[in-house]
Amino acid sequence: MGVLAAGVAGRMALDGARQWGQGGRPAARDLLLTSANMRHIADELARMRGAAMKIGQLVSMDTGDVLPPELAEIMARLRADADFMPPKQLRDVLDAEWGAGWRSQFAQFDVRPIAAASIGQVHRARLPDGTELAIKVQYPGIAHSIDSDVANIGRLIRLSGLLPQGFELDPYLDEARAQLKEEADYRAEAAHLETFGALLRDDPTFTLPQLNKALTTGKVLAMTYVPSDPIETLVHAPQEQRDLAMHHLCDLMLRELFVFATMQTDPNFANYRYDQTNERIVLLDFGATRAVPASLSSQMRALMRAGMEGQRDDVARLVADMGLVPHTVPERFATRIIDMVMLVFDVIRADPVLDLGTSDLSRRLQRAGEALAADGFVPPPVPMGLLYIQRKVAGMFLLASRLRARLPVTALVRSYLEQE
């Protein structure tokens, strides 16, 4: 991180000196947000992997919920790419987890990863009986680096000068630190995979990998390999197929919230794939799974009911009780936030089938949020349980928009509001 800071500082000094020499008065923020600096930061974070890259993923979902778009955009390339482990490093990790001579357990083990992310990388392998496996191997030292990496990224975000004065970043960093430590425990992820496998065992819509317990450790997650394509490939599919896929995913999200009482809260597109042969959605990566308390589920149901009925006063009371818009928020800001909430429900109620390919809802909300920020609104910390749900909803909205899907949102939501 020190090398990264020194490199950025050097570029800032050179650019600043050049602009001063030309008679300009450069601002520190403008010197930081140069294309060269942004590429340098993204490259270094990808090499750091771990928490640095994970936070880059968290803030680059295109929703602009926490960080300004300038900072989110520079980290966008961290969504799917990380530097691979050198083969010797990979061998050392597997020797430590499986013991020397582990190769004898496999008919084939490809040392070239098929995917690399923030916490680990994935390899294909084949057992002597022909079973194809996907094996996720954790980068060495990742779990121990989380605290320092999160602290360093916090410094980088503050250095950018893009956060509004008074914004409380620490609660988000603390939660990121806790979540990353949970995700670094592959045995916990294995348990979540089995939980969702049981919940969806009889569902013909979804396919999940099956856990290989014998090869799974705290730092290695072994599961069956499921042939599939990225979910985004459906953008070229017929409209009906795109609509159906998003209907299934949104219905699953509502089941997680209101029926399962547990939610996979990471809507990264890479966690959803499509099996063209069987026309099933493949679900991957359950490291960010969280329990949904019954009280939170009840509050969300009450909020949705009030919103779907257009009951503004009840919506305002509920979002205050839930901590989304606490009573400490000045009325001039609270009123406008409630306007934004009601806008969402108004759009949903206005059309039985919402066309996400043409909807301007996201842009309207973004403009309203930017106007709030320009008027000096500093958002209070969002309750973390709600933040994870919001993140999942935003991810589904983004994916539906990408696939240009048409969804019967009103009917879908009402079907769960009628349940208790």
Side-chain angles (χ1 to χ4, degrees), residues 16 19-26:
Q19 292 186 39
W20 274 103
Q22 296 172 351
R25 293 181 177 273

Side-chain angles (χ1 to χ4, degrees), residues 126-386:
R126 188 173 70 251
L127 296 175
D129 65 2
T131 301
E132 296 280 347
L133 296 180
I135 298 177
K136 184 158 64 171
V137 184
Q138 189 171 125
Y139 302 128
I142 283 297
H144 299 296
S145 73
I146 289 173
D147 287 336
S148 61
D149 279 356
V150 169
N152 284 331
I153 296 304
R155 294 187 186 100
L156 177 64
I157 293 171
R158 292 186 177 97
L159 174 66
S160 73
L162 293 173
L163 293 180
Q165 187 173 2
F167 182 86
E168 296 184 49
L169 181 62
D170 287 342
Y172 298 96
L173 295 178
D174 291 342
E175 187 63 27
R177 188 179 291 110
Q179 180 189 336
L180 286 160
K181 288 181 179 179
E182 292 176 7
E183 292 188 34
D185 182 357
Y186 281 179
R187 286 194 176 93
E189 182 177 348
H192 296 318
L193 172 60
E194 288 191 304
T195 295
F196 270 86
L199 290 169
L200 299 172
R201 179 177 293 119
D202 299 323
D203 192 319
T205 304
F206 299 103
T207 296
L208 282 73
Q210 294 182 351
L211 179 69
N212 183 305
K213 291 184 178 180
L215 293 172
T216 294
T217 72
K219 297 180 180 179
V220 176
L221 179 61
M223 53 202 151
T224 53
Y225 175 78
V226 182
S228 56
D229 298 310
I231 192 72
E232 299 98 309
T233 58
L234 284 177
V235 74
H236 304 296
Q239 183 73 54
E240 293 75 14
Q241 190 175 7
R242 287 180 273 135
D243 295 347
L244 185 60
M246 281 312 310
H247 186 282
H248 289 320
L249 283 171
C250 290
D251 180 72
L252 175 60
M253 177 182 66
L254 292 169
R255 274 190 284 169
E256 290 175 301
L257 177 58
F258 294 123
V259 181
F260 296 166
T262 187
M263 178 176 282
Q264 191 283 90
T265 63
D266 183 359
N268 191 312
F269 292 175
N271 295 339
Y272 306 100
R273 297 179 67 85
Y274 194 75
D275 179 352
Q276 300 283 357
T277 302
N278 298 306
E279 297 186 346
R280 303 181 82 171
I281 298 169
V282 179
L283 303 177
L284 302 175
D285 197 337
F286 293 87
T289 299
R290 298 177 65 88
V292 180
S295 58
L296 179 55
S297 180
S298 295
Q299 287 178 318
M300 289 297 299
R301 180 177 275 115
L303 175 62
M304 288 184 177
R305 280 176 176 162
M308 294 301 290
E309 297 301 324
Q311 298 171 351
R312 182 187 176 94
D313 290 344
D314 288 342
V315 168
R317 174 180 54 80
L318 287 163
V319 296
D321 292 344
M322 297 169 71
L324 275 171
V325 188
H327 296 292
T328 55
V329 173
E331 185 176 354
R332 69 183 189 279
F333 293 137
T335 298
R336 292 161 65 180
I337 297 171
I338 301 303
D339 288 343
M340 295 170 67
V341 176
M342 294 308 298
L343 170 62
V344 175
F345 287 114
D346 290 344
V347 169
I348 291 174
R349 293 199 316 271
D351 197 327
V353 177
L354 184 60
D355 189 338
L356 277 301
T358 60
S359 174
D360 65 347
L361 176 60
S362 179
R363 289 188 295 274
R364 293 169 69 184
L365 291 172
Q366 184 177 15
R367 286 196 297 267
E370 289 173 349
L372 274 172
D375 289 344
F377 175 64
V378 178
V382 177
M384 292 304 159
L386 286 171

